[in-house]
Amino acid sequence: MIVIIGATGFIGMYTVEHFLSKGYDVLATGRNKVMLDSLRGKGAKTEVLDISRAEDFAVLPTENVEGVILLAGLLPANTPVDISKDENAADYMRINVIGTINVLEYCRKNGIQKVISTCSYADVINSWKKGVALTEDEPRNFKYTGDHAVYVISKNAANDVMEYYNQQHGMQCASFRLPPVYGVGPHSEIYVNGKYYKTGIQTFIEKASSGEDIEIWGDPEISRDIIYVKDVARAFELALKSDKTRGLYNMTSGTEVTLEEQVRTVIEVFGEGKDSGIVYRPEKPNNTPSFLFDMTKAKRDFGFSPEYISYKDMMIDYKKELESGRWDSFILSRKKEK
């Protein structure tokens, strides 16, 4: 059995679906009861679980668990807190650090060796450079200000605790360093420092679909290294199957796509001949620098190479998934939570 904690989130839903498609017995946990019902309908066993409560883990199985995938956590994108007026550092520590310890203790006590979690690519944000692929050995270099600062600190601490369990208790814990993960889900709008905003990709898709012009702010050659959600789900399986999997792993496509390429691709895939134009606005701020990550370690340790390498491949599948309507109830249920 595979236990997927935080299964009712965006990556979690696709991950459960992937493991079920491969014939695994899956126990999915979460707090969104609508989506737990949906996962039961797909064939998963389900439980309600709050990782910050150690007593909640009594509902989980104690035998025949091959591994645990930990996706539950507190993220800035889901947090309506303006840190210029309020502070939620304790919440990040309680959920992301103490919650991780609770997961690790559940695993240690029940002889479960393999745990895979996720962490932020912003732990090296001050080292991002165009055309320079950062490896997992890059020293931490992050910002101590902004709405992501304590989140990054909490995920760094969680990673350190997992490495402690590796060395002290002989476990096999790993963490995927994720950039923006693309795919259909309830993230068309996110919180940025407590305010709700429509994401860039959602804006591009809506404008391309209606034939409106799309503005590119700042440098159109800013490049990003992103990954498609189905590749992430597949990587979890490969990582769990390998006895070499330990520590931090970049989990990206390992390729760069410029802002202009993103816009042109969205127009091509979603525009359907409506011929949206591109309006360049170099005077408008775009504060996201270019970034690129090296994927050698994941390929070496568990044979992972992304199947969705090109941005066009991602967008074609994104459109197919969006038009299928099968994620509509998921998107609606998460929006109601906000």
Side-chain angles (χ1 to χ4, degrees):
M1 171 179 282
I2 304 298
V3 176
I4 301 176
I5 297 174
T8 57
F10 162 52
I11 297 174
M13 293 293 292
Y14 280 90
T15 301
V16 171
E17 194 170 74
H18 173 81
F19 275 92
L20 290 174
S21 74
K22 296 296 183 178
Y24 287 86
D25 189 16
V26 176
L27 174 65
T29 84
R31 294 188 295 167
N32 183 323
K33 294 184 178 180
V34 172
M35 297 322 299
L36 287 176
D37 289 343
S38 174
L39 291 175
R40 278 196 298 274
K42 294 176 184 290
K45 300 177 180 65
T46 64
E47 294 285 356
V48 175
L49 176 70
D50 180 343
I51 63 170
S52 69
R53 293 167 47 89
E55 59 270 28
D56 279 18
F57 287 79
V59 303
L60 299 186
T62 58
E63 296 180 343
N64 302 317
V65 177
E66 297 176 53
V68 172
I69 297 173
L70 172 57
L71 298 171
L74 182 63
L75 285 78
N78 298 328
T79 307
V81 175
D82 181 350
I83 59 172
S84 68
K85 302 176 182 177
D86 203 355
E87 182 54 71
N88 62 338
D91 292 333
Y92 282 109
M93 297 301 168
R94 176 176 56 84
I95 297 171
N96 294 344
V97 182
I98 300 302
T100 296
I101 293 172
N102 289 337
V103 172
L104 294 170
E105 276 297 281
Y106 156 70
C107 292
R108 183 187 66 83
K109 291 174 181 177
N110 294 290
I112 303 165
Q113 295 296 306
K114 298 184 178 183
V115 180
I116 303 178
S117 185
T118 63
C119 63
S120 173
Y121 69 137
D123 64 335
V124 289
I125 190 170
N126 290 330
S127 300
W128 292 355
K129 293 179 182 177
K130 187 176 179 66
V132 178
L134 302 179
T135 71
E136 290 83 355
D137 293 327
E138 184 73 25
R140 288 173 179 165
N141 191 2
F142 58 92
K143 298 181 185 298
Y144 281 89
T145 58
D147 67 337
H148 276 64
V150 177
Y151 167 68
V152 172
I153 291 168
S154 71
K155 297 302 284 188
N156 286 346
N159 282 356
D160 289 343
V161 171
M162 289 197 297
E163 183 57 28
Y164 164 76
Y165 273 74
N166 284 349
Q167 297 191 29
Q168 179 65 33
H169 299 295
M171 290 179 62
Q172 190 179 335
C173 301
S175 184
F176 286 178
R177 177 195 270 155
L178 295 173
V181 179
Y182 278 27
V184 177
H187 45 255
S188 57
E189 293 88 21
I190 61 173
Y191 288 108
V192 178
N193 198 24
K195 296 181 180 179
Y196 215 33
Y197 291 94
K198 188 173 293 184
T199 62
I201 182 62
Q202 182 66 24
T203 300
F204 294 165
I205 289 173
E206 289 180 3
K207 287 185 175 295
S209 298
S210 62
E212 297 179 56
D213 289 346
I214 299 176
E215 292 187 356
I216 295 181
W217 291 12
D219 181 2
E221 293 301 310
I222 289 174
S223 59
R224 312 177 80 189
D225 181 359
I226 60 179
I227 191 167
Y228 196 59
V229 65
K230 292 182 180 179
D231 275 334
V232 176
R234 185 171 58 86
F236 282 127
E237 182 197 5
L238 292 173
L240 282 179
K241 289 165 66 175
S242 173
D243 287 333
K244 296 180 180 179
T245 305
R246 278 180 182 80
L248 177 66
Y249 289 90
N250 293 332
M251 189 48 56
T252 71
S253 65
T255 59
E256 294 174 291
V257 57
T258 68
L259 184 55
E260 183 174 32
E261 289 171 335
Q262 289 183 59
V263 172
R264 291 192 182 280
T265 301
V266 169
I267 290 172
E268 179 184 354
V269 174
F270 288 88
E272 299 178 335
K274 295 187 176 68
D275 297 326
S276 294
I278 298 177
V279 179
Y280 296 91
R281 300 294 300 274
E283 77 282 3
K284 291 281 190 176
N286 186 337
N287 298 320
T288 302
S290 299
F291 55 86
L292 176 66
F293 290 90
D294 181 271
M295 290 297 297
T296 302
K297 186 181 177 185
K299 185 174 183 178
R300 181 195 71 204
D301 286 1
F302 49 87
F304 174 77
S305 294
E307 292 181 349
Y308 294 87
I309 298 175
S310 79
Y311 190 71
K312 185 174 181 179
D313 289 341
M314 296 182 196
M315 289 299 99
I316 288 173
D317 195 74
Y318 193 118
K319 186 171 186 284
K320 178 182 176 182
E321 291 286 309
L322 191 63
E323 292 177 346
S324 73
R326 68 193 191 96
W327 300 108
D328 290 355
S329 60
F330 177 36
I331 295 170
L332 181 61
S333 71
R334 293 302 298 271
K335 285 186 176 180
K336 286 181 177 178
E337 289 180 349
K338 291 183 170 71

